[in-house]
Amino acid sequence: MKKKIAVIGSGFSGMSAASYLAKAGNEVHVFEKHSGPGGRARQFSTDQGFVFDMGPSWYWMPDIIENFFADFGYTGNDFFKLISLSPQFEIIFSDQKIEVPKDLSELISVFEGMEKGAGKQLQKFMHDAKFKYTVGMQNFVNKPCHNWKEFISPQLIKSALKLNLLTDFRSYVSKYFKSDKLRTIMEFPVIFLGASPKAIPALYSLMNYGGYALGTHYPMGGFYQLVLAMKLVAEKLGATFHFNHTVESINVEKGKVTSLKINGECSDFDFVIASSDYHHTETLLPIAFRNYDESYWGKKTFAPSSLIYYLGINEKLPNLKHHTLFFENQLDEHIDCIYEEKMWPENPLFYVCCPSKTDKSVAPRGKENLFLLMPLAISINDEEFIREKYLSKMLLRIEKHTGVKDIRSKIEYKKSYCVSDFISDYNAYGGNAYGLANTLGQTAVLKPKIRNKKLNNLFYAGQLTVPGPGVPPSIISGKVVANQIINSKF
């Protein structure tokens, strides 16, 4: 039976859910407060000719993204040109620069050159990581996680010990490598999961496989090309997008959602999927119908916020790669500032994306497009003078690396983005940038539920619920929730 369904938000989980629901023959409406799709993955252009992706820039787990397109008879190549970056990225230590090559065989050689025997250890690590990736991405992430019974199967029970669910990631990495630099290289991918390597289950070594083994990619034209492709898929299937439409309340009668108040007017729906911030979505409901109270959210471990700068530079900068990690300082010192001390780091680590090294369309000829990102604690003061202080710190280190003096004087365009912007633009709890951290106590069934406990026609998708933060998991989240509605009996 055809249902009228509202999707709140046009991020990756929202567009994914809309596509699967529309394919099943439903009338699907996507409501987005901004003027275009993508949520955190929006894009903007400047009068000077620069084009900036606002959020995601690491195209990892390409097979998961391809699975989305395949479900509708497409491939990513039908919409954009995807290239494999070589090197994948460069990491800058205080006394050494290390390129992570495109091919795993070359990375094995790099490891061996840094620590005797580390090449073979990397082979073993990746062999186990591939197993976790296969089991995890095929059997774990596609479950709605209503209860633990979903995970009782002969295959999962047989695989349990090899998944290292009860070992923390840092201890796990330390069993393989002695070098602090090699450990940092291996720990870096789980930063995307929003917690210290000491708090992340070793299961997530699957991230190393999804990144280092499957490669780091880039869609020409920017990450936003994936957004446009997913929107087009949903529209071809019949979904309708409504931009500049803010959902102001979720209306309830007789134990079910009946309508949404949007831009001052009410519209009736059979089902609602909220791919918007979970906590914010619940504030749109009467208190009696919320899954969780404020104390629940206050106890959760959130992924970091970020200080981001979008910079247009009026000349080319030598020695920068497409992705460069500035890790000259101690990783744990920065992590403690995020999760323990909740303060601005004295000696920060940060990341630079320079897509103009790969893509001529994102910057005018002879100029450079820079995206600077520094992870931060949520809910901290981010006044402009503090942002500028840290921009100066980052520019000094970029100058040292590139050999270019006084980069600040070469800035043709500048825009900062930080905690308060994540709150105002996305209603992000505490201004988080990546969602809820994938700690052991916040994994699978222990995450916020995808279904409202009191209203059987309200569901939640995105990075604050299963399977977790990141672009591929968000796409999967939309599919999982859509299937709950498609297979519902009410």
Side-chain angles (χ1 to χ4, degrees):
M1 179 177 166
K2 185 176 182 178
K3 307 175 183 75
K4 186 179 180 183
I5 303 170
V7 177
I8 306 174
S10 67
F12 288 113
S13 64
M15 291 190 292
S16 173
S19 298
Y20 288 102
L21 290 167
K23 181 183 178 182
N26 298 293
E27 179 185 343
V28 182
H29 296 268
V30 182
F31 297 98
E32 170 59 53
K33 65 179 284 190
H34 294 108
S35 59
R40 285 168 168 79
R42 290 179 296 151
Q43 188 180 78
F44 71 94
S45 302
T46 74
D47 293 339
Q48 298 86 350
F50 297 98
V51 180
F52 294 99
D53 282 324
M54 293 189 69
S57 58
W58 292 79
Y59 198 109
W60 275 5
M61 301 185 183
D63 56 324
I64 303 301
I65 297 174
E66 279 302 313
N67 287 344
F68 169 82
F69 290 117
D71 283 343
F72 306 102
Y74 300 106
T75 70
N77 289 332
D78 293 326
F79 304 97
F80 50 79
K81 179 181 179 182
L82 189 68
I83 64 170
S84 181
L85 296 180
S86 181
Q88 297 190 45
F89 63 88
E90 185 173 43
I91 184 166
I92 311 300
F93 292 108
S94 59
D95 60 350
Q96 189 178 8
K97 305 169 187 176
I98 300 172
E99 291 186 1
V100 172
K102 173 181 175 181
D103 297 322
L104 182 57
S105 60
E106 294 180 27
L107 184 59
I108 290 170
S109 297
V110 169
F111 271 50
E112 185 62 31
M114 294 179 64
E115 177 182 308
K116 186 174 176 59
K120 288 186 177 179
Q121 288 295 88
L122 180 59
Q123 285 180 299
K124 293 178 183 177
F125 185 100
M126 285 299 183
H127 179 268
D128 289 344
K130 182 178 181 180
F131 172 81
K132 291 170 189 168
Y133 188 86
T134 302
V135 173
M137 302 313 288
Q138 290 183 2
N139 298 308
F140 274 179
V141 299
N142 293 305
K143 295 186 181 299
C145 296
H146 296 308
N147 56 66
W148 290 112
K149 293 180 181 179
E150 297 169 27
F151 296 90
I152 299 176
S153 72
Q155 182 179 5
L156 288 179
I157 293 173
K158 183 179 180 181
S159 304
L161 289 177
K162 296 175 68 175
L163 294 176
N164 301 110
L165 293 168
L166 301 179
T167 304
D168 72 85
F169 192 80
R170 169 152 293 172
S171 298
Y172 183 74
V173 169
S174 297
K175 293 178 182 179
Y176 287 87
F177 308 104
K178 297 177 181 178
S179 163
D180 288 340
K181 292 174 183 175
L182 292 184
R183 290 178 183 178
T184 297
I185 291 172
M186 298 307 289
E187 287 180 354
F188 156 67
V190 302
I191 294 175
F192 288 111
L193 300 175
S196 166
K198 294 181 287 187
I200 295 286
L203 164 68
Y204 290 107
S205 63
L206 63 86
M207 290 285 290
N208 297 84
Y209 181 80
Y212 296 168
L214 298 184
T216 302
H217 305 268
Y218 175 79
M220 296 299 286
F223 213 98
Y224 193 61
Q225 297 304 310
L226 176 58
V227 172
L228 295 177
M230 291 183 65
K231 174 178 177 284
L232 185 57
V233 168
E235 288 178 323
K236 285 178 175 290
L237 293 164
T240 302
F241 285 77
H242 306 268
F243 299 112
N244 299 308
H245 279 64
T246 300
V247 176
E248 298 162 340
S249 67
I250 301 173
N251 303 317
V252 178
E253 290 181 21
K254 297 180 180 179
K256 64 181 294 187
V257 173
T258 55
S259 64
L260 299 179
K261 183 179 180 182
I262 307 165
N263 289 359
E265 298 183 2
C266 289
S267 297
D268 295 340
F269 293 96
D270 298 312
F271 286 89
V272 173
I273 292 178
S275 72
S276 46
D277 178 270
Y278 200 126
H279 168 267
H280 169 72
T281 300
E282 296 247 283
T283 68
L284 304 179
L285 285 164
I287 293 176
F289 297 102
R290 298 174 188 176
N291 273 354
Y292 308 103
D293 59 20
E294 288 298 321
S295 66
Y296 172 88
W297 295 107
K299 295 174 185 176
K300 291 295 158 185
T301 301
F302 278 82
S305 185
S306 295
L307 169 63
I308 299 172
Y309 268 94
Y310 310 98
L311 303 178
I313 309 298
N314 65 12
E315 67 177 58
K316 301 300 287 185
L317 299 178
N319 302 320
L320 274 182
K321 306 301 181 186
H322 188 116
H323 297 300
T324 307
L325 305 176
F326 286 81
F327 275 37
E328 306 102 311
N329 300 319
Q330 289 297 314
L331 175 62
D332 282 349
E333 182 182 321
H334 190 135
I335 288 174
D336 286 345
C337 286
I338 295 173
Y339 296 106
E340 303 298 330
E341 300 175 32
K342 301 187 186 304
M343 60 183 285
W344 285 81
E346 183 64 29
N347 300 302
L349 311 179
F350 67 100
Y351 153 64
V352 176
C353 180
C354 187
S356 48
K357 294 296 182 185
T358 303
D359 188 349
K360 295 179 181 179
S361 73
V362 299
R365 185 175 181 179
K367 301 183 180 183
E368 216 76 281
N369 175 318
L370 293 187
F371 171 97
L372 279 56
L373 183 149
M374 188 177 80
L376 288 174
I378 65 171
S379 302
I380 61 173
N381 179 24
D382 67 341
E383 291 181 74
E384 193 63 33
F385 80 93
I386 302 176
R387 302 184 190 195
E388 283 291 316
K389 172 186 174 182
Y390 280 86
L391 173 61
S392 295
K393 286 177 177 282
M394 291 187 283
L395 289 178
L396 283 173
R397 286 158 66 182
I398 296 171
E399 288 171 1
K400 180 180 179 181
H401 177 62
T402 61
V404 177
K405 297 180 179 179
D406 193 16
I407 291 178
R408 185 180 281 273
S409 69
K410 307 176 194 303
I411 296 175
E412 190 171 310
Y413 177 85
K414 179 179 70 174
K415 175 182 174 67
S416 67
Y417 203 93
C418 203
V419 177
S420 57
D421 300 298
F422 281 102
I423 294 172
S424 62
D425 279 358
Y426 309 120
N427 301 299
Y429 185 90
N432 79 83
Y434 306 106
L436 205 61
N438 265 356
T439 60
L440 184 59
Q442 296 178 169
T443 295
V445 175
L446 302 178
K447 285 188 180 294
K449 299 300 184 184
I450 66 169
R451 183 172 167 183
N452 189 282
K453 301 172 184 177
K454 302 157 189 174
L455 305 166
N456 63 14
N457 62 340
L458 173 60
F459 293 80
Y460 308 85
Q463 57 187 9
L464 287 181
T465 184
V466 294
V471 174
S474 291
I475 293 174
I476 292 170
S477 180
K479 180 179 182 179
V480 170
V481 173
N483 282 335
Q484 291 293 292
I485 293 177
I486 291 168
N487 297 324
S488 66
K489 297 179 181 179
F490 40 83

